Amino acid sequence: MTGWVDTALVLLTLTSLLLLGSSRLTRCIRIVAFQGVVLGVLTVTARPTELSLRILMLAAAIVGLKGVTFPWLLSRVLRDAAVRREVDPVVGYIGSLLLGTLMLAVSFWLSARLPLPMPAISGLLVPVALFTTLAGLFLIVTRRTALTQVLAYLVLENGIYVFGVGVVQGTPMLVELGVLLDVFVVVFVMGIAIFHINREFDHIDTDQLTALKDWTA
């Protein structure tokens, strides 16, 4: 199963890099959906000797929410929005890929110095978790479209989950499902908010939204 774990971690790294270099929102949604499916596979293959009905249910919930439900919800929002690609990001796509490569190197450097409570299931796990989290943070800061920022939030949460599944052992299922439910509520509320923002203002550019003022003041 170690080969499956390493394959899943490499796929997470490649999809994060692909997300940094993608401008089309439809492609970004598909990439994040694929990450959700990979996380489900990682959940099952992380600790094969401890495989149980609880882990299978958790993996199914992750694939169902992150691989199907969230992409479907965000695709519906995108269909009603008058935007199909991320225009004029704060950092260009080539620059994002170069900085992404630098973040990956920094993640490997940090992981070699980070004290862990127990050995990780793979030498790639901690650097990939750090890199995925950093990529999500970077996208939140450098992209202007609200929909891309929701996807970036999901990528950030994916990185935190990868760290948890490979390092922390014996987390109660209620806690894991509670975190998934929190993420579901956040994405659901943000999806509805983006839909209404787009309907009222004909755009979902967060830079323009910051210029809004309270006219009753």
Side-chain angles (χ1 to χ4, degrees):
M1 287 287 186
T2 305
W4 283 99
V5 171
D6 288 341
T7 301
L9 294 172
V10 170
L11 287 175
L12 285 173
T13 303
L14 292 177
T15 50
S16 296
L17 286 171
L18 191 58
L19 202 59
L20 290 172
S22 297
S23 63
R24 296 189 65 84
L25 296 179
T26 304
R27 182 184 300 166
C28 291
I29 291 174
R30 289 173 181 166
I31 292 171
V32 175
F34 183 71
Q35 277 200 352
V37 175
V38 173
L39 282 183
V41 174
L42 184 63
T43 303
V44 174
T45 56
R47 301 184 189 281
T49 57
E50 302 169 11
L51 196 59
S52 63
L53 180 62
R54 180 185 74 89
I55 293 178
L56 292 175
M57 289 174 61
L58 179 63
I62 289 172
V63 173
L65 284 176
K66 295 188 175 183
V68 179
T69 306
F70 295 162
W72 173 77
L73 176 65
L74 296 174
S75 294
R76 287 198 61 180
V77 173
L78 179 64
R79 190 175 58 195
D80 296 326
V83 59
R84 289 292 176 269
R85 61 173 63 230
E86 179 75 37
V87 180
D88 194 22
V90 176
V91 178
Y93 298 104
I94 295 178
S96 296
L97 283 173
L98 292 175
L99 288 173
T101 306
L102 178 62
M103 285 188 286
L104 185 58
V106 170
S107 299
F108 272 96
W109 181 79
L110 280 177
S111 66
R113 290 157 178 76
L114 191 65
L116 299 175
M118 58 183 294
I121 57 174
S122 165
L124 290 176
L125 187 131
V126 176
V128 170
L130 288 173
F131 171 64
T132 308
T133 305
L134 289 174
L137 282 172
F138 179 80
L139 288 169
I140 289 175
V141 173
T142 59
R143 300 301 188 256
R144 301 180 192 274
T145 306
L147 188 64
T148 312
Q149 294 180 348
V150 176
L151 294 171
Y153 168 77
L154 285 173
V155 173
L156 186 152
E157 202 276 333
N158 288 346
I160 295 172
Y161 179 81
V162 170
F163 191 85
V165 78
V167 176
V168 181
Q169 194 172 8
T171 306
M173 186 174 181
L174 280 178
V175 174
E176 292 167 335
L177 290 179
V179 173
L180 270 178
L181 184 61
D182 288 344
V183 175
F184 173 74
V185 171
V186 168
V187 174
F188 186 72
V189 171
M190 292 175 80
I192 293 175
I194 292 172
F195 173 77
H196 286 288
I197 288 170
N198 177 70
R199 193 170 63 176
E200 295 295 329
F201 299 104
D202 295 328
H203 64 79
I204 50 176
D205 189 326
T206 54
D207 271 5
Q208 295 186 46
L209 293 174
T210 57
L212 293 177
K213 296 179 180 178
D214 186 358
W215 295 100
T216 62

